[in-house]
Amino acid sequence: MSHNKTAALIALSLGILPVASTQAADANFTGPTVGLRLSAVDNEVDYQGFLAGRSSSDNDTAFDLTAGYGFNLGKDWVLNVGASYTLNDTDFGTVNYVDSGNQTLTAKLKNHWSLSIEPGYRFTPQWLGFVSLSYHNAEGEYRDSQLGTGNVDTNGFGYGLGLSYAYNRNIEVGVELKKIDFSRETVNLSSGE
């Protein structure tokens, strides 16, 4: 019932590469990585059906565990494939409506995971610009004061732009701007996207 209209508006990532790397010193952004990502998210749900014309939104923070592998595609090109799992739930705000009295509907996103492909270009050995294409899966949880609570599964696709800096061969930091669109899901007499 949720649609993460704009997620990971600003994402700060810290990636840790294996200390015992056998790759050449000029091959930053290649090989295995694990890391943590902190994101400021702006979530929005647009409703149809019984709640047509209403929407809810909320700003929240997401903490993601990430893992990936960077492939060296040439002198300056890198392809990273990765996965992430959000460690906390993110809120989508509240909608108020009148039906046999004043009612409220809240929504949140939980169990959010993604798979991504990120082609990138090394401007210098320490700087990488990249685009991100990703598949997302999550569970939308809703709480309706009149109809109770429930969950729906939702899928979506994301795209974004980012910039990473290799502090040294074992530590990377980065910033990314990403938008994620989830599918429309229907519950009772309303649907949310």
Side-chain angles (χ1 to χ4, degrees):
M1 186 139 156
S2 308
H3 165 62
N4 196 350
K5 191 112 181 185
T6 306
L9 212 116
I10 299 175
L12 300 174
S13 300
L14 173 63
I16 307 296
L17 293 153
V19 176
S21 176
T22 59
Q23 298 176 1
D26 64 349
N28 286 332
F29 310 107
T30 61
T33 61
V34 294
L36 294 172
R37 180 170 54 216
L38 169 64
S39 303
V41 295
D42 177 25
N43 295 324
E44 184 177 322
V45 181
D46 297 317
Y47 293 98
Q48 296 295 323
F50 180 75
L51 296 175
R54 291 186 174 90
S55 65
S56 65
S57 63
D58 199 354
N59 296 318
D60 210 339
T61 302
F63 300 93
D64 298 321
L65 181 61
T66 64
Y69 195 93
F71 297 93
N72 200 15
L73 298 181
K75 181 178 179 239
D76 296 319
W77 294 95
V78 174
L79 176 66
N80 187 63
V81 294
S84 71
Y85 181 79
T86 305
L87 300 173
N88 62 308
D89 302 342
T90 56
D91 293 323
F92 282 81
T94 301
V95 169
N96 298 307
Y97 67 95
V98 177
D99 186 31
S100 302
N102 293 328
Q103 308 295 337
T104 59
L105 171 67
T106 61
K108 69 170 63 171
L109 198 68
K110 60 185 194 175
N111 298 322
H112 177 204
W113 59 268
S114 71
L115 301 173
S116 63
I117 298 174
E118 298 173 347
Y121 181 78
R122 279 187 293 249
F123 296 100
T124 71
Q126 285 78 35
W127 287 99
L128 176 80
F130 63 91
V131 296
S132 175
L133 304 171
S134 51
Y135 168 79
H136 295 260
N137 181 277
E139 186 178 340
E141 178 181 277
Y142 62 90
R143 293 181 184 276
D144 189 310
S145 60
Q146 184 178 35
L147 302 172
T149 63
N151 297 305
V152 293
D153 290 325
T154 185
N155 300 295
F157 293 94
Y159 52 91
L161 294 171
L163 184 65
S164 290
Y165 175 74
Y167 179 73
N168 60 38
R169 183 64 189 109
N170 298 314
I171 298 176
E172 298 171 6
V173 294
V175 177
E176 181 180 6
L177 178 65
K178 181 181 282 189
K179 180 174 181 176
I180 304 167
D181 290 320
F182 282 99
S183 59
R184 178 172 294 280
E185 303 299 333
T186 302
V187 175
N188 299 319
L189 299 176
S190 298
S191 67
E193 177 184 30

